[in-house]
């Protein structure tokens, strides 16, 4: 737990709805545990085929409420044109200094959408830069204690999985807050990837990940560090 008024968890993503779809269950679980959670969206998602940025902003607030977020911020960077610039890294570093998260979640670095890839890179750099005393931005130097990458359907290099069985239905509810994207029309249901219903996709994926660790539903995360173990017999791993 942080020793000040900082966040326990900050998830950084390119577009409103990215966090909900990929790690919404984890965010809800942390809120259930009494942790202070927040989301930083880099863009307003204005390039999406359906809805506009005003729809997306209202929907993001509704989803924040379902997830029990303490804070949600938006950097207002251009959707589909997020650049890997020092300027953007400093903008993220400013938010990190302001909200002081102990754990930062970033998109995994294996991505199809260029914004997701850039978000992963500049988010990672920003976590480091935020701790530099002489960085030309306001705020006290601060560096998150842990960075974890959120699995995005394609990668399989998981470091750990989190049980979201009790949170899965609320995760779906959070995604459903994006009515312009995932409402009930046929078009909206297939916007995520042609021919795939986003809810079927999330359920299948979470169930498959859950089977790996013996629970109903799970989400997967990757870290770059190795884990030091004192006593392998006490590792929280289930054999199936
Ligand atoms: Zn996205």
């Amino acid at each position: 737990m942080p020793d000040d008024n900082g966040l326990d968890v900050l998830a950084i993503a390119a577009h409103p709805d990215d966090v909900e779809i990929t790690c919404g269950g984890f965010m809800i679980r942390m809120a259930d545990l009494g942790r202070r959670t927040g989301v930083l969206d880099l863009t307003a998602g204005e390039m999406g085929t359906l809805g506009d940025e005003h729809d997306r902003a209202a929907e993001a607030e509704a989803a924040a409420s379902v997830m029990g977020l303490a804070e949600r911020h938006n950097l207002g960077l251009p959707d589909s044109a997020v650049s890997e610039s020092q300027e953007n890294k400093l903008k993220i570093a400013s938010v990190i200094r302001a909200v002081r998260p102990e754990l930062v979640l970033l998109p995994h670095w294996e991505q199809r959408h260029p914004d997701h890839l850039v978000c992963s890179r500049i988010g990672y750099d920003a976590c480091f830069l935020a701790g530099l005393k002489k960085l030309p931005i306001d705020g006290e130097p601060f560096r998150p204690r842990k960075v974890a990458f959120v699995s995005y359907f394609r990668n399989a290099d998981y470091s750990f999985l989190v049980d979201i069985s009790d949170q899965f239905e609320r995760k779906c509810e959070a995604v459903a807050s994006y009515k312009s994207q995932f409402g009930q029309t046929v078009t909206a249901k297939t916007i995520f990837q042609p021919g795939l219903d986003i809810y079927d996709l999330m359920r299948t994926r979470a169930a498959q990940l859950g089977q790996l660790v013996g629970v109903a539903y799970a989400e997967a995360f990757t870290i770059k560090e190795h884990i030091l173990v004192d006593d392998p017999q006490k590792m929280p791993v289930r054999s199936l």
Side-chain angles (χ1 to χ4, degrees):
M1 303 287 276
D3 56 4
D4 53 23
N5 282 331
L7 292 180
D8 291 294
V9 186
L10 175 69
I12 303 176
H15 315 107
D17 76 24
D18 287 352
V19 166
E20 286 81 353
I21 292 169
T22 57
C23 61
F26 175 81
M27 297 301 282
I28 296 167
R29 183 184 170 109
M30 294 304 277
D32 284 352
L33 291 171
R35 308 291 167 80
R36 294 192 74 239
T37 57
V39 168
L40 171 61
D41 302 306
L42 300 191
T43 79
E46 68 274 13
M47 290 294 279
T49 310
L50 301 170
D52 58 26
E53 60 197 279
H54 301 294
D55 290 337
R56 298 294 287 269
E59 291 167 353
E61 276 312 305
S65 167
V66 174
M67 291 192 290
L69 300 183
E71 299 178 28
R72 183 162 210 155
H73 304 274
N74 196 302
L75 275 192
L77 300 182
D79 186 6
S80 298
V82 177
S83 66
E84 198 173 339
S85 64
Q86 182 71 1
E87 187 189 354
N88 284 345
K89 291 176 188 175
L90 295 185
K91 284 180 181 172
I92 298 172
S94 292
V95 175
I96 288 170
R97 282 188 175 186
V99 306
R100 307 177 77 75
E102 179 157 304
L103 167 66
V104 166
L105 298 180
L106 296 171
H108 192 275
W109 56 88
E110 213 174 278
Q111 295 289 345
R112 181 177 64 130
H113 195 306
D115 285 352
H116 297 172
L117 175 64
V118 172
C119 179
S120 182
R121 287 182 178 160
I122 63 179
Y124 189 70
D125 287 352
C127 288
F128 180 85
L129 293 172
L132 295 178
K133 246 185 190 157
K134 294 180 179 172
L135 203 69
I137 56 171
D138 290 339
E140 287 295 306
F142 177 85
R143 198 166 282 155
R145 195 174 68 79
K146 180 61 66 187
V147 175
F149 296 86
V150 179
S151 176
Y152 256 60
F153 300 104
R154 281 175 171 72
N155 67 290
D157 54 343
Y158 320 130
S159 305
F160 63 94
L161 288 88
V162 175
D163 182 1
I164 59 154
S165 304
D166 290 341
Q167 290 78 27
F168 183 77
E169 297 307 328
R170 280 177 285 160
K171 170 186 170 120
C172 292
E173 200 186 316
V175 172
S177 302
Y178 294 90
K179 292 192 179 74
S180 68
Q181 310 299 304
F182 308 119
Q184 290 308 307
T185 68
V186 173
T187 318
K189 284 183 89 172
T190 56
I191 194 71
F192 186 73
Q193 193 170 318
L196 289 179
D197 179 314
I198 183 65
Y199 302 104
D200 286 346
L201 189 64
M202 288 197 303
R203 192 173 292 275
T204 305
R205 168 114 177 118
Q208 185 193 33
L209 291 171
Q211 282 174 356
L212 298 176
V213 286
V215 301
Y217 296 116
E219 287 172 343
F221 302 84
T222 306
I223 56 175
K224 289 187 173 177
E225 304 79 17
H226 295 289
I227 296 174
L228 179 66
V229 174
D230 290 326
D231 182 350
Q233 280 188 290
K234 291 182 179 168
M235 282 177 74
V237 178
R238 303 181 201 188
S239 295
L240 297 176

